[in-house]
Amino acid sequence: MSRQRMLRFGMVGGGAGSFVGGIHRHAAAADGKAVFVAGALASTPERARQSAEALGLPAERSYGTWQEMLERELRLPPEQRIDFVSIVTPNHVHFEPALAFVEAGFNVVLDKPLVHTSQQAQALVRAVERADVLFCVTYNYTGYPMIKEAREWVRSGKLGALRRVVVEYPQGWLRDRFEAQGNRQAEWRTDPARTGIAGAVGDIGTHCESLAAYVTGLNIEALCADVSTFVEGRRVDDDASVLVRYHGGARGVLWVSQVAAGESNGLNLRVYGTEGGLHWNQEQPNALLWLPGEGPLQIHRRGSPHLCAAAQRATRLPGGLNEAYLEAFANLYVNVIDTLSARQAGRQPSVLELDFPTVYDGARGVTFIEKVIESGQSDAKWLPFA
């Protein structure tokens, strides 16, 4: 068997000192299958080159803008240019570089949410289909091993017919108007020009929608939203409650808040069927609770040999040693990398390798944002999801 070639990747955004940039670089390199070789790492050429130097990029692969990066990478022989690009900019700098790199034939990993509007999302979907490139949207919570086990429980019929899906994501970090106090993350995440039409709904609500869809496989038929802005002077939502009707009859409740004082990252998923239920908590991610219709509650843990193949593939440490946020990101990246390597070798990727959120999942997330905001602003609350 031939040894898999290490892939080369570049980044747009995510310069030195960036939390999300560091996460993506570590995740992409975690399995020793990809190396960081190029970047346009900041919003100005000077800062971009300073970040590249700080991160050890060679001067010839340090670019002042993403446009320069695209142009100069295309000049390189195919065996030297990047195999994929990770775009980790604020939301308003997602669409243009993603579309340009896709149209030029590059594979793309893009931070969520996909783009600002459904029109942009559909343009990106069409471009990906024409170019036949890989496109991953980093809904990282789908990378947790016990989330993959939860999905297997649903698929296998262990829960029976699904009746209720409850997903919540409370945070407290925006409980005051910190965007007016010099907090850079708060500044752009509450600025409609950069974050889009939604605040908490776009930032963490899309994680909830993605997680519920990934585990249950259910499609939203209609939704009804109560969207609030509690902090005076804030220009986007910071709290929302959503009722969901799924095709097939199941019902859902989704709550997100960034003004829930005292909360950190309280993402929780509960799914109930005719035969039992499951409960997963992101702050205790290595455990998955099984609530049978009859009998005692059971706790299943990551690292156990009885877990499904997808959960075992996503497991990096022996049982009893905790895995979490970084490893979940790495699980998305390794599946993208292995899928790319398979395609380059002329091999059909396996189902396990293809297990990552795609441009279609990203486009659905944009529709979710728009429908929630529209419902929250409407007197006719229930809106069809189409």
Side-chain angles (χ1 to χ4, degrees), residues 168-175 189-190 197-205 224-231 234-242 254-261 263 368 372-373 375-377 381:
E168 62 179 11
Y169 199 158
Q171 296 177 334
W173 74 286
L174 288 176
R175 66 190 180 280
R189 292 181 191 275
T190 59
I197 62 172
V201 170
D203 193 19
I204 56 179
C224 173
D226 180 22
V227 180
S228 302
T229 303
F230 281 104
V231 174
R234 182 164 288 158
R235 294 180 290 166
V236 292
D237 61 277
D238 50 28
D239 186 278
S241 301
V242 186
L254 185 153
W255 169 56
V256 295
S257 181
Q258 292 180 315
V259 294
E263 293 283 0
F368 174 78
V372 169
I373 297 302
S375 175
Q377 296 173 344
K381 291 286 186 177

Side-chain angles (χ1 to χ4, degrees), residues 187-332:
E187 285 175 3
W188 82 258
R189 292 181 191 275
T190 59
D191 176 5
R194 288 180 281 178
T195 197
I197 62 172
V201 170
D203 193 19
I204 56 179
T206 50
H207 273 306
C208 293
E209 184 278 329
S210 165
L211 190 64
Y214 181 81
V215 170
T216 69
L218 295 174
N219 296 313
I220 298 176
E221 181 178 37
L223 58 76
C224 173
D226 180 22
V227 180
S228 302
T229 303
F230 281 104
V231 174
E232 187 176 353
R234 182 164 288 158
R235 294 180 290 166
V236 292
D237 61 277
D238 50 28
D239 186 278
S241 301
V242 186
L243 298 176
V244 177
R245 294 173 181 167
Y246 291 103
H247 287 282
R251 296 293 186 261
V253 177
L254 185 153
W255 169 56
V256 295
S257 181
Q258 292 180 315
V259 294
E263 293 283 0
S264 296
N265 278 284
L267 177 59
N268 281 277
L269 174 69
R270 286 171 283 170
V271 183
Y272 302 96
T274 54
E275 303 301 320
L278 64 83
H279 182 194
W280 180 81
N281 178 352
Q282 191 274 147
E283 294 184 349
Q284 301 293 328
N286 293 276
L288 177 65
L289 275 59
W290 165 239
L291 296 79
E294 296 182 5
L297 177 149
Q298 300 174 19
I299 302 175
H300 295 248
R301 297 193 182 277
R302 185 206 54 77
S304 299
H306 67 271
L307 299 181
C308 71
Q312 300 226 30
R313 173 178 168 83
T315 295
R316 295 163 174 276
L317 298 174
L321 300 174
N322 287 329
E323 295 181 9
Y325 190 77
L326 178 58
E327 288 84 2
F329 262 106
N331 287 333
L332 300 190

Side-chain angles (χ1 to χ4, degrees), residues 295-372:
L297 177 149
Q298 300 174 19
I299 302 175
H300 295 248
R301 297 193 182 277
R302 185 206 54 77
S304 299
H306 67 271
L307 299 181
C308 71
Q312 300 226 30
R313 173 178 168 83
T315 295
R316 295 163 174 276
L317 298 174
L321 300 174
N322 287 329
E323 295 181 9
Y325 190 77
L326 178 58
E327 288 84 2
F329 262 106
N331 287 333
L332 300 190
Y333 268 101
V334 75
N335 286 348
V336 169
I337 291 165
D338 285 351
T339 297
L340 281 176
S341 295
R343 291 179 62 166
Q344 290 176 355
R347 174 177 66 80
Q348 178 63 35
S350 71
V351 172
L352 294 179
E353 290 168 332
L354 289 166
D355 184 10
F356 55 86
T358 68
V359 69
Y360 302 105
D361 299 297
R364 190 188 65 244
V366 176
T367 299
F368 174 78
I369 293 169
E370 292 178 338
K371 290 296 183 180
V372 169

